[in-house]
Each structure stands twice: as C-alpha cells, then as structure tokens.
Amino acid sequence: MQPIPLPGPIAALVRGLRWERDTVGRSFAGVYRLSDGKNTYYLKCGDEADGLAGECRNLRWLRGRLPVPEVLAWAAEGGMEYMLLSEAGGRMLCDASYLRRPELAVSALASGLRMLRAVDISGCPLKNGLDEKLEAAAGSTRTIGRRCRTATIRPGICSASCGVPGPRKNPCSPTATIACRMYLQKARK
C-alpha cells in the first residue's frame, strides 16, 4: 500500500511494492524502504528545502566513482521532491557485527576514507565550499522553524541551535547547527 501521493512517473515505478518507513539516519526527508521480495529500493520524499535535488545531482556525479546507490528516478511536484534509489551494498556501521567487533568498523571506515581520497575531483560539479555553506545556512535557518516547533526565528537565526536565548526541547540537526553558527560568524564580521 502506498502511504503517500507520488508524481505519476515514480508512482508507476513503485506500484505493487511493499512499503516500510525507514527511520535510520538523520535525513529531514521522509525515507521509505520499498521491496518486491527480491529487490529493495529506497524512496526519499521532502520539500524543496530538504535538498533532494542537490543530493540527486551529487549521487549521479559520484556514480561510477564510489559505490553509491543509483538514482532510478527523480521528480518534483507541488513543492515536493522525490528520489527513487537502488539499494546500496554493504552493511551500516550500526550493524550488530560491527558493534560486536569495533575493529571491523574501524577497518571499514578506513577503507571508505581511502576510497574517498582516491576520487579524482577534477571536473567535479559539486560545490561545498564556505560560500555555498553560508548560502545554504541562510536558507536552512529560514526553514528550521517549520521543523523545530520550539525554535524562535529571527532573520537568519534559529534560537534552538545557534546560542541565541530560547527553548531547546527539539534541537536542530548537527548540519543545521553548523549552518547557523557559520551564518552568525559571517553576520558578526
């Protein structure tokens, strides 16, 4: 059963699949594990502020350079974005085998870092420098208030994550916290 409305092209691709909400991770987007019993896919859904368009672009560029999931479909409709992904191989670091033997987790992390460092970034279209982070921070601080109901928003500042006095019952994600701090640093200069 499909629990959310989807754009036509993606709806057609996932018709008949079994849906399960994926709660592992820190994505602001909704993540669903879809399966037909033989193959597994992941569907990410979120509003434009969740950054799925950028994530889609990044995954497409990284495909063939790193073992990332394949973007099978992407669509935007009504202010929402949808990305259908193949399942990525491997095990998560929270897997019981890694928890029982932390040295295996360290080895897997080291291997992953070596793979990342080996990627040739010449011609890389991904922009992740300070200017891009500051621009993203300005956008993030405008949307955090919708996500964190206890936050008090002032222009460019979310009180739940940047140190401005205010409630802290639902702190923002670590990424949003960094974005707010970067925004404040630039604003103070």
Side-chain angles (χ1 to χ4, degrees):
M1 182 175 115
Q2 181 179 307
I4 59 172
L6 296 172
I10 291 185
L13 291 171
V14 302
R15 190 169 288 120
L17 298 178
R18 187 176 60 248
W19 288 62
E20 175 186 339
R21 182 74 189 240
D22 186 319
T23 58
V24 177
R26 295 279 308 199
S27 179
F28 279 131
V31 180
Y32 297 89
R33 183 179 186 270
L34 311 175
S35 175
D36 61 8
K38 184 173 142 184
N39 298 302
T40 300
Y41 310 95
Y42 287 86
L43 177 67
K44 295 184 84 171
C45 321
D47 64 31
E48 292 170 346
D50 291 328
L52 290 181
E55 183 178 344
C56 178
R57 181 191 64 239
N58 296 349
L59 286 171
R60 284 180 171 158
W61 187 84
L62 288 168
R63 186 83 178 152
R65 293 173 173 88
L66 289 173
V68 298
E70 181 180 2
V71 176
L72 302 172
W74 184 89
E77 184 174 282
M80 295 291 291
E81 297 176 340
Y82 306 85
M83 181 169 53
L84 182 63
L85 301 165
S86 66
E87 183 173 42
R91 292 175 288 157
M92 296 183 64
L93 287 177
C94 61
D95 185 81
S97 63
Y98 287 131
L99 296 176
R100 282 191 304 274
R101 299 206 38 216
E103 69 277 9
L104 294 177
V106 170
S107 178
L109 281 169
S111 175
L113 288 172
R114 282 191 296 275
M115 287 188 327
L116 282 171
R117 290 184 53 89
V119 172
D120 178 7
I121 60 170
S122 59
C124 176
L126 312 180
K127 303 292 185 216
N128 206 20
L130 181 59
D131 290 339
E132 290 79 19
K133 291 288 186 188
L134 290 172
E135 184 179 325
S140 293
T141 55
R142 286 190 295 272
T143 62
I144 289 169
R146 286 192 323 230
R147 302 176 199 288
C148 178
R149 302 266 183 243
T150 63
T152 303
I153 300 295
R154 293 189 350 202
I157 299 172
C158 170
S159 67
S161 61
C162 66
V164 173
R168 285 183 169 66
K169 290 180 186 171
N170 288 326
C172 298
S173 73
T175 303
T177 301
I178 292 166
C180 287
R181 287 189 182 138
M182 290 172 65
Y183 182 88
L184 283 176
Q185 288 172 354
K186 185 176 180 183
R188 288 180 183 142
K189 289 183 180 179

